[in-house]
Amino acid sequence: MPQLGETVTEGTVAQWLKKPGDSVEKYEAFVEVSTDKVNAEVPSPVTGIIRELIVKEGETVPTGTPIAIIDDVVAETTPAPNGSASPAEQVAATLRQAQGDTGASKAEANHQASDEPVPGGNVGLSGPSYSAPANNGASNGAPAGPNGVRTSPAVRRLAREHSVDLASVRGSGSNGRITANDIIAAAKAGPSAGVAATIMATAAPVAPAASSGGATARVAARAARPGDLIPLTQARKIIAQRMVESKHTAPHAWTMTEVDVTNVWKWRAREKDAFEKEYGVKLTLLPFFIRAAVESLAAFPLMNASFTDEGIRVHADVNVGLAIAAGGNLVVPVIRHADQLSIRGIALAAGELIDKARRNRLGADDLAGGTFTVNNTGANGSILSAPILVPGQTGIVTTEAVVKRPVVRDDDSIAIRSMMNVCMSLDHRVVDGAVASGFLSDLKKRLEAMGPTGSL
Amino acid sequence: MTATAQQQTGVTMTNVEAVRTTLYDALKRDDRVLIMGEDVGARGNVFLITKGFLEEFGEQRIIDTPLAEASIVGVAIGMAMEGLRPIAEIQFADFIYPAFNQIVGEAAKTRYRSNGDYTCPLVIRTPYGGGVRGALSHSVSIEALFYHVPGLTIVAPSTPADIKGLLNAAIECPDPVLFLEHKKTYRSVKGVVPSGYYTIPIGKADVKKAGTQVSVVSYGYNLHQALDAANRLEGEGISVEVIDLRSIRPMDKGTILASVRKTRKLLIIHEDNKFGGIGAEISAMVSEEAFFELDAPIRRLAGPDVPAMGYALPLEEEFMTSTEEMVDAMRELAKF
Amino acid sequence: MAKTTATRGRELDRAGLSDEQLVAMLRNMLLQRQLDNRGFQLNRQGKIPFALGSEGHEAVQSGAAMAFKRGQDVLVPYYRDLGLALGVGMSPFEILSSLFARQTDRSMGRQFPNHYTNHDLGVLSISSIIAGHCTHAAGVAAAFKYRGEPGRAVICSNGEGATSQGEWHESVNYAAVHCLPIVFLVQNNEWAISTPQDRQMKVANVADKAPGYGLPGAVCDGFSPVATYKAMHEALERARTGGGPSIVEAKCYRFLSHSTDDDDRTYRSREIIEERRKLDPVPRFEQVLIEAGVIDEAHAKSLKQDVLRETNEATDAAEAQPYPTTESLYTNVVAADYHPWQEFA
């Protein structure tokens, strides 16, 4: 049944002009069809013999319904458009073709059309596909987040509202995009899911914050099972990036010294209970160490510098970064102007940063501007580490485990002393062995001069 | 359906039948109502919408006008200013341009320029849209030309029940209404129409399918395709919300924004050319008012920026957005 | 002083009008001239930015207004119809409120001057779109017929320039086909801004086109209020009694530039204008009435003083009115009380 009008959806066979057995020429009228808009004689699509009249006179059928079968006498010269064998198909198909069909073949054609490359981008599907959100972000001009990650307004707002760190969220959207639902899920999962942005890690096993013990390491260990392929979180990606950048930029040299911390340990032991009672913050060896370190940095300013193409920038400020592990990642919050702080001040600043890190509250200000880094690898029992520099810094020192060892003293007596190795990686573009060892020796001297009493 | 609709018995009918029965009822109900246009009388309208009306209501009320669109609308404006409720028909939306002056320069401004001393309760009905092999001058969409004009109301219902409710509302409306009927849906869309008199508020969209992952706004023939596409995607576990805009101006910001707040992703589909189409206004409005809700750029599927769809079937199909394209766009947006 | 055919000898062709009616016409012409002038004065004083003069149209407009039946007919004017507006009952205060764009203007300061609206008096609101209003005029007439209201007619008024617009043609054609109660008054003042009549049409008279529509057409002396009254009365009565539409072309002249924004020295010669000024209908009709003994010099003088007083009072009163508020900008775009609008404003 042909479609005889713009909005016609059905037609009535008004009168058959041929009967079965009649021959019919191509374009010869063989049936009269009426619709509510118009009556028309329908020309035959082929030359042949009428085999069967399917629809009776007076019967109404939807457009596209086969109404007759004509045996196509010269099959080779009038092939069916869609290549089907049956003559009935041919007739129906020809009519469909001629009049416009909304059936499956059209759907196919549409699908094919959309597979073809879109010229100029404004035909059919308007605009380029945005399945690569990074590209779309670029054309959108969406400002990059703290890590160069492009985020939608909803994602940024939700992350802000729920204090979720974007760097820690794994994106489930197209091309790894972080979606709003990802943020909502992350917010529900809790603080272990969120970590601060600037990432750094040591080559040694991840060292947790001084008093968190091995808890985080155990969590991390539990998460990884043999045979797993763990998808990369945003944070892990960035850590990896920064590690590679650091190692490939700064030629790392390494040195170490061993420090007798017996006295400073005693001093610490004497102070820690009162300190903790008064400030609610644990007093570890770290602030003593940092105090000594900043004094050594004052004596060896090249250790508090950065290599640039324009020259070696010796920093005016001494901002000491602490490598802290939280939530399976490392963060390096910074104690700003550590050189101006007392041991107490350093302890409090460090305590606050560690607490913030644990609660996911580290902000950009907490993480920016470090000039030198300390990593307490000893907390996990390490006695030797080869840390990787924070990009842009010249030195990173580790405080290894404090181990009681028999040592030979100056007067050749043997004593049991608390010994702590201090390892250091350095940027060999900026300093050489003389400066590096000089710094470490200086640091050792100061540390060994501290305690067993003193003022915090 | 709104509170004003009467959900008693309903009758299944097509879109064109809904127009016809609503006009008939209006003529019977209100003596001030009359219909004027080309071929509306003896011919009963080229889609047979007013067939038999001339015989029943007479030539004073069913007026076969001269072939002159400016005066079809202009004379109707005068009638409306004088207190009648004329329904002017423009035979195809493609023919409306000579009447543009009267619609935009006169009807839209009558109340404003006289500060309410005169009003213009006029309905202009016209079939629009393609997909019927109508080619360059029987297929255009015109809403973008008019929706810019304050003082004009434009509605484009897509289902029989909505047609009846909105046409009644348009006739009741004390200001000029452009009533758009998608001709491809005339006979191909059927639905249940409640019996009895009811109106649907102008300016209220309708969520035809609720969903959670993507909001789709559309109207006309596209609306039905969008519903098809959305239903198919249910099978893939993708939940798409389809909003039938129904009213182009005033536009239902509230329903659109509520949906975007829920799904955070918006796809606007209209048959009209993309540049400057309805989608542009919706996009601007949503990004102004719901910027921080958006989890993806607002997307528009629309007609290409060419003057009109061609007569040849491939040209028409290329112009019109297919259901498959809609499925792809919705899926892509859901997965963004 | 040239005498028109209407005043040959002492016998005045008053076309059945009483003395009072004749004097009323004169007064209307005087008031129109005075108000017209006042517009220019205010513009030159810097008090209003725009004025549109109608000097030369006083006779045709007072004559047509006299034929208009208040309370029954509707006037669809154009922007030079000051006299018609006054003649059908609008007040100088309303006119000046419009010139000053004050709140008391019916359009609340929205419309350009001379774009009158007064639903109570039957003056249809118009836009500045030339001939846009003609279709509305036909529509109003169609409504009269639709409601079966005999005795009512519409005056559609415009200049000869408007007759070039498609919409004038469509309106006349529609009215003719449907035999509507309407008179198409064409005030032919020979100029459409700078376009003279022979650049506007090929025929000498617009009324010559009437048979082309199957309509009667008449040319009348637009400088004679009585002659215009006669022609308009006949046409309106034809319309009111079911005789259908007609075209009445009143020949007059535009003595001034199109408006205060136009300078006709760039396209018209002073000599021609001076020549046509000699036919100025206002002093001429005054003279006609004096010579016919309808009024005397003193009466004429007192009319003029009265008109001046009325104009002055209206000017002061209108000038003292406030401007429309900025909030008013947003009102009456669409009906405020139609409930869908309330719901979704």
Side-chain angles (χ1 to χ4, degrees):
Chain A
M1 175 57 63
Q3 185 179 4
L4 288 183
E6 291 164 9
T7 55
V8 170
T9 55
E10 59 188 24
T12 307
V13 172
Q15 188 187 358
W16 284 112
L17 303 172
K18 297 278 182 183
K19 52 187 195 304
D22 283 352
S23 69
V24 64
E25 295 289 316
K26 191 173 177 181
Y27 301 122
E28 186 187 356
F30 74 107
V31 63
E32 205 178 272
V33 163
S34 78
T35 69
D36 52 4
K37 281 175 76 86
V38 76
N39 285 2
E41 289 180 343
V42 178
S44 173
V46 295
T47 296
I49 313 278
I50 307 281
R51 191 210 287 185
E52 185 192 341
L53 303 178
I54 301 173
V55 174
K56 288 197 266 300
E57 282 183 1
E59 203 179 318
T60 303
V61 293
T63 58
T65 309
I67 55 171
I69 301 176
I70 304 174
D71 279 328
D72 186 351
V73 168
V74 192
E76 303 83 13
T77 60
T78 55
N82 62 359
S84 73
S86 132
E89 287 281 318
Q90 288 175 15
V91 175
T94 320
L95 284 171
R96 274 206 301 276
Q97 188 91 355
Q99 306 292 349
D101 179 35
T102 53
S105 57
K106 180 185 174 206
E108 265 169 8
N110 276 339
H111 202 69
Q112 279 157 19
S114 63
D115 285 341
E116 284 159 19
V118 176
N122 70 345
V123 177
L125 273 179
S126 305
S129 162
Y130 59 86
S131 52
N135 295 335
N136 188 54
S139 60
N140 249 350
N147 309 320
V149 173
R150 293 190 198 281
T151 48
S152 71
V155 162
R156 287 201 290 280
R157 174 179 63 81
L158 289 165
R160 216 166 32 241
E161 282 172 10
H162 297 281
S163 298
V164 170
D165 175 43
L166 291 171
S168 71
V169 177
R170 186 164 64 82
S172 71
S174 145
N175 272 29
R177 187 187 79 91
I178 299 175
T179 69
N181 288 336
D182 292 337
I183 300 293
I184 291 169
K188 287 202 188 98
S192 64
V195 185
T198 312
I199 310 290
M200 189 51 207
T202 63
V206 165
S211 39
S212 69
T216 327
R218 282 201 294 278
V219 166
R222 202 165 42 233
R225 285 180 309 226
D228 274 356
L229 177 67
I230 302 166
L232 299 175
T233 64
Q234 211 54 30
R236 185 51 49 190
K237 276 188 206 165
I238 288 160
I239 293 172
Q241 220 174 294
R242 300 289 294 251
M243 291 297 158
V244 169
E245 185 194 330
S246 177
K247 271 283 177 163
H248 284 193
T249 312
H252 283 50
W254 185 88
T255 180
M256 68 164 283
T257 186
E258 55 174 19
V259 179
D260 183 340
V261 297
T262 312
N263 284 341
V264 70
W265 193 258
K266 280 193 183 122
W267 184 16
R268 177 228 165 213
R270 178 171 292 126
E271 300 275 1
K272 74 178 176 75
D273 290 336
F275 189 90
E276 199 167 327
K277 197 156 169 208
E278 182 168 352
Y279 297 105
V281 172
K282 284 194 161 44
L283 184 66
T284 64
L285 197 61
L286 194 64
F288 299 89
F289 181 86
I290 291 175
R291 183 67 230 161
V294 300
E295 285 170 12
S296 299
L297 285 174
F300 291 84
L302 276 177
M303 291 307 304
N304 193 52
S306 296
F307 183 88
T308 75
D309 287 331
E310 289 81 43
I312 292 166
R313 187 178 310 284
V314 178
H315 299 297
D317 298 337
V318 180
N319 302 325
V320 175
L322 304 176
I324 299 172
N329 291 309
L330 254 176
V331 286
V332 190
V334 169
I335 302 172
R336 299 189 73 84
H337 307 296
D339 55 326
Q340 292 164 25
L341 296 175
S342 63
I343 295 172
R344 178 187 308 123
I346 294 170
L348 292 174
E352 193 190 318
L353 289 173
I354 290 163
D355 179 59
K356 268 189 178 178
R358 222 175 274 131
R359 284 183 306 115
N360 248 334
R361 289 283 184 268
L362 287 171
D365 287 345
D366 296 323
L367 300 160
T371 58
F372 187 82
T373 301
V374 173
N375 190 353
N376 183 14
T377 47
N380 257 350
S382 167
I383 58 166
L384 216 71
S385 310
I388 298 181
L389 288 162
V390 171
Q393 294 180 13
T394 298
I396 174 171
V397 291
T398 63
T399 48
E400 304 297 331
V402 174
V403 177
K404 280 206 175 136
R405 277 202 272 116
V407 299
V408 178
R409 311 216 64 205
D410 286 341
D411 59 359
D412 285 355
S413 65
I414 295 179
I416 309 292
R417 302 294 285 181
S418 297
M419 298 302 288
M420 181 178 87
N421 287 336
V422 174
C423 307
M424 184 169 82
S425 292
L426 54 124
D427 184 343
H428 217 317
R429 296 175 297 174
V430 180
V431 296
D432 55 20
V435 170
S437 336
F439 169 78
L440 270 190
S441 305
D442 188 82
L443 177 53
K444 171 187 162 89
K445 237 199 298 266
R446 289 180 198 272
L447 267 175
E448 288 177 349
M450 282 175 169
T453 58
S455 150
L456 293 179
Chain B
M1 199 59 64
T2 67
T4 55
Q6 290 165 29
Q7 302 275 3
Q8 302 153 351
T9 49
V11 179
T12 302
M13 63 177 78
T14 60
N15 273 4
V16 73
E17 285 163 349
V19 176
R20 178 183 161 75
T21 55
T22 309
L23 289 174
Y24 182 84
D25 291 344
L27 286 160
K28 280 209 102 75
R29 186 177 62 243
D30 187 344
D31 279 341
R32 301 169 302 168
V33 173
L34 61 100
I35 295 175
M36 56 195 289
E38 292 157 16
D39 307 301
V40 298
R43 174 65 163 91
N45 167 280
V46 291
F47 298 99
L48 302 177
I49 289 174
T50 53
K51 188 168 158 70
F53 284 18
L54 177 62
E55 290 78 8
E56 182 159 346
F57 298 104
E59 63 179 19
Q60 285 275 62
R61 300 189 73 190
I62 313 295
I63 304 172
D64 275 327
T65 62
L67 210 168
E69 278 75 15
S71 53
I72 291 174
V73 173
V75 170
I77 291 174
M79 291 175 171
M81 287 170 85
E82 182 49 34
L84 299 182
R85 294 268 161 161
I87 303 174
E89 177 184 296
I90 300 294
Q91 196 163 78
F92 286 89
D94 314 57
F95 307 159
I96 205 167
Y97 309 122
F100 193 86
N101 182 33
Q102 288 295 327
I103 296 171
V104 172
E106 303 284 345
K109 298 178 171 49
T110 301
R111 179 187 291 273
Y112 192 72
R113 72 169 181 237
S114 69
N115 198 35
D117 199 23
Y118 283 93
T119 62
C120 186
L122 163 68
V123 176
I124 302 165
R125 280 187 44 250
T126 187
Y128 79 104
V132 295
R133 307 301 304 283
L136 307 173
S137 292
H138 293 74
S139 306
V140 296
S141 296
I142 53 166
E143 58 274 17
L145 300 174
F146 291 99
Y147 87 125
H148 180 63
V149 179
L152 268 191
T153 300
I154 305 169
V155 298
S158 317
T159 64
D162 287 348
I163 284 175
K164 177 171 173 178
L166 277 171
L167 186 49
N168 281 335
I171 296 169
E172 256 189 35
C173 180
D175 290 297
V177 179
L178 185 55
F179 191 89
L180 302 177
E181 303 161 7
H182 198 296
K183 64 177 85 69
K184 192 171 169 72
T185 68
Y186 266 167
R187 293 186 169 84
S188 66
V189 171
K190 276 197 171 84
V192 176
V193 176
S195 308
Y197 181 77
Y198 66 91
T199 59
I200 289 174
I202 294 172
K204 187 94 183 90
D206 186 34
V207 179
K208 289 284 197 292
K209 176 186 178 299
T212 57
Q213 292 172 260
V214 173
S215 299
V216 172
V217 174
S218 190
Y219 54 97
Y221 179 66
N222 283 167
L223 186 270
H224 298 282
Q225 293 172 289
L227 282 170
D228 263 345
N231 287 329
R232 280 197 228 175
L233 284 168
E234 283 285 335
E236 293 177 33
I238 294 176
S239 170
V240 174
E241 180 152 289
V242 180
I243 299 170
D244 184 354
L245 196 57
R246 291 201 305 197
S247 184
I248 311 282
R249 184 163 194 169
M251 193 181 288
D252 189 350
K253 276 174 29 172
T255 299
I256 297 172
L257 290 172
S259 182
V260 169
R261 286 189 182 108
K262 183 168 57 160
T263 69
R264 307 187 210 280
K265 293 173 177 177
L266 178 60
L267 169 65
I268 304 154
I269 306 177
H270 59 68
E271 187 175 310
D272 196 8
N273 308 110
K274 184 177 185 187
F275 190 100
I278 309 299
E281 175 63 29
I282 298 177
S283 290
M285 183 273 290
V286 169
S287 78
E288 268 178 340
E289 309 219 12
F291 181 72
F292 292 102
E293 312 301 329
L294 291 170
D295 197 25
I298 299 168
R299 191 79 208 283
R300 295 176 287 169
L301 268 189
D305 290 311
V306 300
M309 66 183 80
Y311 180 57
L313 185 60
L315 296 179
E316 180 177 277
E317 287 179 343
E318 177 65 11
F319 190 106
M320 307 263 302
T321 308
S322 67
T323 308
E324 281 66 34
E325 283 171 297
M326 295 183 190
V327 168
D328 289 344
M330 290 177 195
R331 188 192 293 117
E332 218 180 299
L333 191 50
K335 296 196 163 167
F336 181 75
Chain C
M1 176 67 147
K3 286 191 164 60
T4 66
T5 49
T7 60
R8 192 146 293 149
R10 280 199 167 62
E11 210 31 57
L12 170 62
D13 175 9
R14 50 173 69 223
L17 292 169
S18 68
D19 279 2
E20 284 74 26
Q21 286 173 311
L22 291 170
V23 173
M25 285 203 295
L26 175 63
R27 192 181 190 285
N28 204 68
M29 294 166 70
L30 290 167
L31 183 57
Q32 179 179 352
R33 179 62 59 92
Q34 185 62 252
L35 274 170
D36 215 68
N37 226 296
R38 180 53 50 92
F40 285 100
Q41 287 167 336
L42 292 171
N43 173 258
R44 280 184 241 115
Q45 284 177 326
K47 288 189 174 179
I48 63 174
F50 182 80
L52 240 169
S54 61
E55 286 194 14
H57 285 254
E58 292 83 355
V60 50
Q61 292 187 14
S62 69
M66 184 55 68
F68 180 91
K69 283 214 171 89
R70 294 196 197 183
Q72 282 178 248
D73 293 342
V74 162
L75 169 67
V76 187
Y78 81 120
Y79 51 81
R80 216 180 289 287
D81 277 338
L82 173 59
L84 262 168
L86 291 167
V88 304
M90 287 188 70
S91 69
F93 177 70
E94 266 184 281
I95 305 297
L96 280 153
S97 295
S98 154
L99 286 179
F100 280 114
R102 299 301 204 248
Q103 261 184 32
T104 39
D105 168 40
R106 274 223 180 194
S107 81
M108 233 211 283
R110 292 173 183 182
Q111 285 271 39
F112 230 17
N114 295 28
H115 287 60
Y116 310 117
T117 179
N118 193 314
H119 205 159
D120 303 319
L121 291 172
V123 179
L124 208 77
S125 162
I126 60 165
S127 75
S128 306
I129 315 277
I130 305 276
H133 67 303
C134 301
T135 55
H136 311 161
V140 171
F144 290 166
K145 189 169 179 192
Y146 182 90
R147 287 195 296 248
E149 294 171 342
R152 301 188 76 180
V154 174
I155 299 179
C156 175
S157 169
N158 48 262
E160 82 288 349
T163 66
S164 293
Q165 275 281 10
E167 268 136 288
W168 185 82
H169 154 75
E170 290 188 31
S171 309
V172 175
N173 187 47
Y174 188 94
V177 166
H178 290 273
C179 197
L180 298 181
I182 181 170
V183 175
F184 292 97
L185 169 63
V186 179
Q187 299 177 45
N188 188 340
N189 66 14
E190 297 184 33
W191 291 92
I193 307 188
S194 67
T195 311
Q197 186 185 339
D198 64 10
R199 278 262 168 279
Q200 204 67 257
M201 61 193 80
K202 190 110 164 89
V203 293
N205 306 305
V206 173
D208 293 345
K209 296 185 185 181
Y213 295 98
L215 296 181
V219 175
C220 70
D221 180 4
F223 279 149
S224 161
V226 175
T228 311
Y229 164 76
K230 266 175 85 172
M232 286 300 290
H233 178 70
E234 183 184 326
L236 282 165
E237 276 300 298
R238 174 186 300 119
R240 291 186 194 112
T241 55
S246 48
I247 299 175
V248 172
E249 179 185 1
K251 303 281 197 193
C252 56
Y253 197 77
R254 196 190 80 205
F255 291 134
L256 305 174
S257 297
H258 169 68
S259 70
T260 50
D261 286 344
D262 181 41
D263 182 1
D264 66 346
R265 287 173 300 181
T266 59
Y267 55 83
R268 289 203 292 189
S269 80
R270 303 298 98 194
E271 292 76 34
I272 294 180
I273 301 173
E274 269 163 39
E275 203 44 49
R276 305 304 289 272
R277 255 298 176 187
K278 294 177 183 159
L279 301 171
D280 190 334
V282 180
R284 278 175 65 219
F285 192 59
E286 180 189 330
Q287 203 54 38
V288 160
L289 291 187
I290 289 171
E291 282 176 15
V294 176
I295 56 167
D296 60 14
E297 302 264 359
H299 191 172
K301 188 162 173 216
S302 95
L303 273 178
K304 286 179 204 165
Q305 282 170 337
D306 197 47
V307 150
L308 179 58
R309 181 194 49 76
E310 195 180 346
T311 302
N312 287 339
E313 278 171 9
T315 308
D316 293 342
E319 193 177 358
Q321 299 302 319
Y323 276 114
T325 62
T326 46
E327 289 75 31
S328 74
L329 181 74
Y330 303 100
T331 60
N332 269 319
V333 177
V334 289
D337 61 353
Y338 184 57
H339 56 263
W341 309 116
Q342 276 180 338
E343 221 176 306
F344 306 108

